[in-house]
Amino acid sequence: MKYFFEKLESSYDIKLNQQQKDAVLHKDGPAVVLAVPGAGKTTVLICRTANLIMNYNVNPENILSLTFSRASAKDMKKRFDEVFGYALNSNIHFSTIHSFAYTVLREYSYKNKIGFKLLESKKNNINKNVLLKKIYRKVNNSNINDDKLEELLNTIGYVKNMMIDKNDFHKHDNFNIKNFNNIFTEYETFKKENYFIDFDDMLTFTYEILKNNSQLLNKYRNKYKYIQVDEGQDTSKVQNKILELLTRPNNNIFIVADDDQSIYGFRGAFPEALLNFKKRFPKVKHFFMEQNYRSSKNIVSVCNDFIKTNKTRYNKNLKTDNPTNSPVNIIKLKDEFSQLDFIVDELNKTKNLSDTAILYRNNISCIGLVEAFNKNNIPFSMRDSKLHFFKHWIVKDIVAFLNVALNDMDINSFERIYFKTNGYISKVAMKYIKTKYTNEGVFDRLLLFPNFKSFQIDNIERLRLDFKALSKKNPYQGLNFILKDLEYNKYLKDNCKKFGHSYENAKTILSHLNIIAMNSDTLVGFLEKLTTLQNILKKAKFNKEGVKLSTIHSSKGLEFEKVFMIDLIDGDFPSSSSIELDKVGDTKPLEEERRLFYVGMTRAKETLNLLTIKLRNEEKVPQSSFLDELEMILDDTVIHNFKVGDIVDHAKFGMGRIKKIKDDTATIRFDSNGIKKISLKISIENNILKAV
């Protein structure tokens, strides 16, 4: 095999380290390759594919390489074709798991004359989101907002991917969705009656088909004798079941994964399958790829120590031969406005904006950034243009308050918020004024309602004056007036408690509205800016140049020279629910959030800035507990370029050679002073040890 690796280097300019070589050489039987971020896993996958074909004469059509996104599958195929395509002239099947499942489904449906239709297909008149909105309204007699709809979609996917029986929904408290059992039943019944399937059904149906149809199963077993899986940590329970069926009895399954980057639990990712792989495949071989080729030694060292706080993981070490660069920076700023000012100042000093990323836990964090970049003419692009912020009920409420302040004849806006103020206006009164005195303003109409007592009339007069006062305020003052004087904040607290919404999320939305308000001169200008920003965001995904804005989830697999992680506040990242569950012994959600934080940090090649604020909405907020962990790590971390065998010069002991390094301690044999054990941290801080 020495010749093979020499050929890789001479003909294809690929030089593998020993850990990579060991993985590439694996041929038969089950294998798990645990690859840290930036370890070159795609290179290993395509080289292992070439090894099977070139050295073992495996028919390329007998190799199935699976991954989880179309982009990843395309990238793998492109990389293989660019490197080996001409030489091997082979048609390797690179596919997503869903695409493979759809192939099985189509064959089965054709043979059995069953007309499945894909619900998410653009060819159909039925829209999945619209369908679920109708079902939710029918079951609960109320409308579902966009945030809750996304939660419902994810929950249905989670149930399917985790193979949760309908009779067990109660064990999950109906997943925090009112009457989820009934909604799910209605949805499944509609699909069944109309021969629709969704993306999740592709997987569950394929599993049932392969499990119960030995002829079809054996066909695919014989066709795909070698199965390779990329991003194995993201496989769900049903996906693992499909892979098990396909690979038996030869078990030629080769999985490349990193359990420390499993961040899709809400979609049904099942890292436990990876951690317990040996129970299903007792003869599995484990390979470790621990060399990071992406990041500086500073970043690698800190990330390695940080992720080890998690207990449910394979014990591996992130390491690199890359040089030391700028330290990992924890930057504490006064408030959300200071955070934006800092970012703008830093970007104005950055030469290569296209190799710079700003990452965040929640998509809403982009709102303030887009406002600041638009104001300061900073180019940017976004991967996630789907944003519910402008449709959020709180934003719609604020817009309605301002519409009434600017035009008290706007009965539709008033109807939205009349019961959300301190006006104490009844439904009966509201119904009355909708049909009476339509040429009058809403307050004049209310004063003509015959059943009001004198104190209620006084209240209406006061409310009229309050809205008139609101119309004369600047946007920032106006938002505070709505919250405090009109007591909308009291409504928010009560409503969140009553319907299970997060008041912390509500405050986050208000914080971003405040950012927009601070940069608007008038109420009309504020409302116009909301529309402008919405249009800018729609176009952002088509931008090619500028700083990259992304959620950490969407940044996975990418790398940037400089990374800013922002809004690092306890309760947001990690979330309040993860913190509370951790306190009662359920560590799983917090460990996944720590993995997400780790994924964000490991996107950085040279510079990593972690930003937190002390105040939001003029209220104190605690920094992320992950930053607390990192501060302890940074206090103890020794970043250096010394290695065993280096000749060094010590200010006191003179010349010597390093014999051993363990943690902070270096064992050095000095020419004149014998063997000494010294602290690298103290030596570096006091500049008394230098490499020669």
Side-chain angles (χ1 to χ4, degrees):
M1 287 301 171
K2 182 181 178 183
Y3 169 75
F4 176 64
F5 293 120
E6 288 175 351
K7 185 172 179 61
L8 285 180
E9 191 168 348
S10 61
S11 301
Y12 305 112
D13 196 28
I14 295 176
K15 186 175 183 179
L16 303 178
N17 65 38
Q18 190 57 51
Q19 287 185 327
Q20 291 172 322
K21 289 177 181 178
D22 291 342
V24 166
L25 291 177
H26 178 80
K27 180 179 180 285
D28 293 318
V32 172
V33 181
L34 295 156
V36 301
K41 63 183 180 61
T42 304
T43 300
V44 164
L45 273 167
I46 65 171
C47 288
R48 194 250 179 176
T49 306
N51 179 46
L52 291 175
I53 299 167
M54 295 168 70
N55 296 321
Y56 293 101
N57 296 317
V58 173
N59 187 333
E61 294 183 359
N62 293 146
I63 303 172
L64 174 63
S65 294
L66 298 171
T67 188
F68 295 90
S69 71
R70 291 178 188 172
S72 296
K74 280 184 178 179
D75 180 59
M76 233 191 316
K77 177 171 174 49
K78 182 183 176 186
R79 289 279 301 279
F80 185 86
D81 288 345
E82 286 175 349
V83 178
F84 300 111
Y86 176 75
L88 298 182
N89 192 26
S90 55
N91 185 24
I92 309 292
H93 193 181
F94 295 100
S95 167
T96 64
I97 289 184
H98 281 86
S99 178
F100 168 76
Y102 196 44
T103 300
V104 176
L105 269 175
R106 280 187 301 178
E107 181 172 352
Y108 176 81
S109 60
Y110 176 77
K111 287 182 176 179
N112 292 276
K113 296 181 172 55
I114 300 172
F116 289 126
K117 295 177 290 184
L118 184 59
L119 186 60
E120 284 97 338
S121 173
K122 293 179 181 178
K123 297 177 183 177
N124 295 319
N125 295 324
I126 301 293
N127 180 283
K128 184 177 180 179
N129 288 14
V130 173
L131 172 62
L132 284 170
K133 282 181 179 180
K134 286 181 179 178
I135 292 173
Y136 186 93
R137 186 163 54 245
K138 176 184 175 182
V139 171
N140 289 323
N141 198 29
S142 63
N143 292 324
I144 185 171
N145 62 45
D146 289 331
D147 287 334
K148 203 69 178 177
L149 176 62
E150 188 168 347
E151 187 180 342
L152 175 59
L153 288 163
N154 286 334
T155 303
I156 291 171
Y158 179 82
V159 164
K160 293 291 186 70
N161 275 276
M162 291 299 288
M163 306 175 76
I164 299 173
D165 189 270
K166 184 182 168 185
N167 295 321
D168 292 331
F169 287 177
H170 68 280
K171 296 178 182 177
H172 301 268
D173 294 324
N174 274 307
F175 305 98
N176 198 34
I177 293 174
K178 187 178 179 183
N179 295 316
F180 176 74
N181 194 325
N182 296 338
I183 294 168
F184 185 83
T185 301
E186 287 266 351
Y187 177 59
E188 293 300 300
T189 301
F190 175 87
K191 287 189 298 176
K192 187 174 182 180
E193 290 176 349
N194 293 278
Y195 297 99
F196 278 117
I197 61 168
D198 60 22
F199 282 128
D200 301 308
D201 293 328
M202 284 186 195
L203 302 173
T204 55
F205 283 26
T206 295
Y207 172 63
E208 292 298 326
I209 289 167
L210 293 176
K211 187 174 72 169
N212 297 307
N213 190 313
S214 58
Q215 185 179 4
L216 198 59
L217 175 59
N218 286 329
K219 174 192 171 180
Y220 283 101
R221 279 178 172 173
N222 291 328
K223 182 176 183 179
Y224 296 120
K225 295 176 180 177
Y226 290 90
I227 294 178
Q228 301 182 134
V229 183
D230 187 22
E231 303 288 3
Q233 73 279 351
D234 294 332
T235 48
S236 67
K237 201 169 194 176
V238 69
Q239 288 166 351
N240 272 282
K241 292 286 187 182
I242 292 170
L243 291 171
E244 279 187 47
L245 283 174
L246 288 172
T247 55
R248 305 293 188 194
N250 295 324
N251 299 331
N252 289 330
I253 183 166
F254 183 86
I255 294 182
V256 180
D258 183 4
D259 52 307
D260 290 330
Q261 293 189 74
S262 180
I263 57 174
Y264 292 107
F266 64 95
R267 292 183 190 167
F270 191 56
E272 289 86 350
L274 187 65
L275 294 163
N276 299 323
F277 202 80
K278 192 173 180 64
K279 290 182 180 178
R280 293 179 294 137
F281 297 93
K283 295 182 179 180
V284 62
K285 290 184 179 178
H286 287 97
F287 299 94
F288 288 82
M289 285 167 48
E290 300 168 300
Q291 186 80 6
N292 176 287
Y293 292 96
R294 174 187 299 156
S295 305
S296 69
K297 186 166 287 189
N298 310 61
I299 294 169
V300 165
S301 176
V302 171
C303 291
N304 184 54
D305 289 343
F306 174 75
I307 198 60
K308 286 189 174 185
T309 303
N310 276 4
K311 305 302 180 191
T312 310
R313 63 185 295 271
Y314 281 102
N315 184 24
K316 54 188 178 298
N317 286 293
L318 186 63
K319 56 189 178 183
T320 188
D321 290 332
N322 290 340
T324 300
N325 205 289
S326 58
V328 174
N329 299 307
I330 296 176
I331 299 159
K332 303 180 183 185
L333 300 156
K334 179 186 176 184
D335 54 24
E336 58 265 58
F337 306 106
S338 302
Q339 178 175 251
L340 289 172
D341 290 342
F342 175 85
I343 292 170
V344 168
D345 288 343
E346 287 295 307
L347 293 180
N348 283 331
K349 294 183 285 187
T350 301
K351 292 180 180 178
N352 188 4
L353 286 180
S354 294
D355 206 9
T356 299
I358 302 176
L359 308 180
Y360 31 81
R361 173 70 175 86
N362 300 309
N363 226 337
I364 192 173
S365 290
C366 76
I367 297 296
L369 293 167
V370 172
E371 163 62 18
F373 294 169
N374 184 49
K375 178 184 175 183
N376 291 278
N377 297 314
I378 295 174
F380 70 93
S381 62
M382 288 182 67
R383 301 199 79 200
D384 316 279
S385 59
K386 191 174 89 173
L387 191 68
H388 302 318
F389 176 81
F390 298 98
K391 295 180 181 179
H392 197 281
W393 57 273
I394 293 177
V395 176
K396 288 183 175 181
D397 282 356
I398 294 296
V399 169
F401 273 106
L402 298 181
N403 284 341
V404 174
L406 294 168
N407 175 19
D408 73 355
M409 293 187 69
D410 188 341
I411 187 72
N412 291 326
S413 290
F414 187 71
E415 186 177 17
R416 181 179 180 89
I417 49 94
Y418 77 93
F419 59 95
K420 301 176 184 181
T421 71
N422 56 1
Y424 309 106
I425 300 165
S426 67
K427 281 186 181 179
V428 176
M430 188 66 221
K431 187 176 180 181
Y432 176 83
I433 69 167
K434 281 186 72 176
T435 56
K436 301 285 186 179
Y437 316 109
T438 54
N439 291 325
E440 304 287 341
V442 293
F443 301 109
D444 288 331
R445 294 195 216 181
L446 283 168
L447 290 172
L448 295 170
F449 179 60
N451 297 329
F452 274 153
K453 296 182 170 60
S454 59
F455 77 89
Q456 290 174 302
I457 292 172
D458 291 341
N459 215 30
I460 300 301
E461 289 284 11
R462 176 192 54 75
L463 204 59
R464 183 217 296 268
L465 292 174
D466 281 345
F467 272 89
K468 189 172 183 179
L470 173 60
S471 70
K472 296 178 180 179
K473 296 186 179 296
N474 67 41
Y476 187 76
Q477 293 169 338
L479 289 184
N480 279 296
F481 187 84
I482 292 169
L483 289 168
K484 295 173 183 176
D485 294 71
L486 292 175
E487 297 185 10
Y488 181 63
N489 196 45
K490 181 179 182 300
Y491 166 80
L492 280 181
K493 287 182 178 178
D494 294 342
N495 190 65
C496 287
K497 187 175 182 180
K498 182 178 179 181
F499 294 104
H501 300 309
S502 167
Y503 181 58
E504 292 302 317
N505 288 348
K507 289 196 291 186
T508 300
I509 288 169
L510 293 171
S511 170
H512 289 286
L513 284 171
N514 275 330
I515 290 169
I516 300 169
M518 281 288 281
N519 291 294
S520 306
D521 296 326
T522 65
L523 297 184
V524 172
F526 172 78
L527 293 173
E528 289 175 346
K529 186 163 281 188
L530 287 176
T531 302
T532 300
L533 291 176
Q534 196 168 1
N535 291 331
I536 290 171
L537 279 163
K538 284 178 182 177
K539 297 174 184 176
K541 67 178 178 180
F542 301 108
N543 298 343
K544 302 297 181 186
E545 302 299 322
V547 61
K548 304 296 187 294
L549 309 186
S550 177
T551 61
I552 300 174
H553 279 101
S554 292
S555 74
K556 190 163 167 283
L558 303 178
E559 58 183 43
F560 306 92
E561 184 177 323
K562 181 183 289 186
V563 167
F564 298 84
M565 287 173 60
I566 67 169
D567 291 341
L568 303 180
I569 300 167
D570 230 33
D572 284 0
F573 197 7
S575 66
S576 300
S577 59
S578 294
I579 294 168
E580 291 305 312
L581 287 169
D582 186 66
K583 288 178 181 176
V584 296
D586 184 359
T587 61
K588 189 176 177 181
L590 189 63
E591 288 210 349
E592 177 160 324
E593 293 217 48
R594 189 176 286 107
R595 293 195 293 268
L596 183 63
F597 204 101
Y598 171 79
V599 166
M601 291 196 296
T602 53
R603 299 312 93 200
K605 293 189 284 187
E606 300 289 341
T607 305
L608 176 60
N609 294 318
L610 308 172
L611 277 57
T612 187
I613 56 178
K614 297 174 184 175
L615 298 171
R616 184 170 64 187
N617 291 333
E618 299 179 354
E619 296 179 359
K620 284 186 177 181
V621 287
Q623 71 176 24
S624 168
S625 53
F626 293 148
L627 292 184
D628 296 338
E629 294 175 18
L630 284 167
E631 284 179 328
M632 292 178 67
I633 290 167
L634 288 168
D635 284 343
D636 295 335
T637 300
V638 183
I639 305 295
H640 61 83
N641 286 321
F642 295 116
K643 57 184 182 294
V644 173
D646 281 355
I647 296 174
V648 293
D649 184 10
H650 192 276
K652 180 178 179 182
F653 302 123
M655 301 292 288
R657 185 184 294 273
I658 297 177
K659 306 300 289 182
K660 183 180 179 181
I661 297 176
K662 185 175 182 182
D663 300 328
D664 175 46
T665 303
T667 304
I668 304 173
R669 183 186 294 277
F670 290 102
D671 296 346
S672 303
N673 290 280
I675 293 177
K676 302 285 185 184
K677 290 186 177 182
I678 66 167
S679 165
L680 288 172
K681 183 177 177 68
I682 294 172
S683 300
I684 292 168
E685 287 175 353
N686 292 281
N687 198 28
I688 58 176
L689 185 70
K690 297 178 182 178
V692 176

